[in-house]
Amino acid sequence: MTDALYLAETRQRTFEAHVERALDDRVVLDRTCFYPTGGGQPSDTGVLRDPVTETTWRVTGVEKRDTIHHMVDGNPPTAGTSLVGELDWERRYAHMRYHTAQHLLSAVLLEAFDAETTGNQLYADHAHLDCAYPRFSATDLADIEARLNDLVAADLPVEWYVLDRGEAERRLDPERTRLHLLPDSITEIRIVEVVGPDGTAYDRTACAGTHVASTGAIGSVEVVGRETKGTGEERIEFVLS
Ligand SMILES: [Zn+2]
């Protein structure tokens, strides 16, 4: 199994690794900082470089299958090759900001509207989130935006850690962590926690994505629209600057 370095250290943008397997258009590495598409967060892109031959491969996508697969252009490097990987950092950092903002939005919607998040998709320059709610008014959206920007201004710490599933189910609020959405095969849960001003958790969610270390790094949040996504379901669109 590839050691997924991004789960512990989200700020690392370069790394050294060995090729474990080379397939037609992709490689499996022994360790990686490249995030694979999942949880509404797009994969990282970047380059892999062989420092001996100075050959470089563009990483065009990353997928989680049996383990993490890096799609590369051209003939992939062969098994055993030592490589240096480098992420397209601007893109990844934008994903981290958007993903953290999405956690805050999910928490605010639950807190203020009892609206549970049902889906989300983020990009490097915009994002949307779906939730169970009949319809938000313009005032609701303005209130949501103001609350999000208050949470950014408070610069709350964001922490992540792994819990045994049984412990997670005993200790954490099931509505907020949404552990019931995870397949039974998952026995260790990665928790992402936004720490409130009083030191207790403002929000805790089971999530394998990458996030910034404090809410201040998110930047200014603008709620740019809403649309109906079906009976009792709303989509909220937002951008960061
Ligand atoms: Zn997340």
Side-chain angles (χ1 to χ4, degrees), residues 99 102-103 192 207 209 211:
H99 203 144
Q102 180 257 304
H103 284 232
V192 176
C207 183
H211 310 82

Side-chain angles (χ1 to χ4, degrees), residues 102-116:
Q102 180 257 304
H103 284 232
L104 295 185
L105 177 55
S106 292
V108 166
L109 290 171
L110 206 51
E111 182 183 58
F113 298 91
D114 199 26
E116 193 171 343

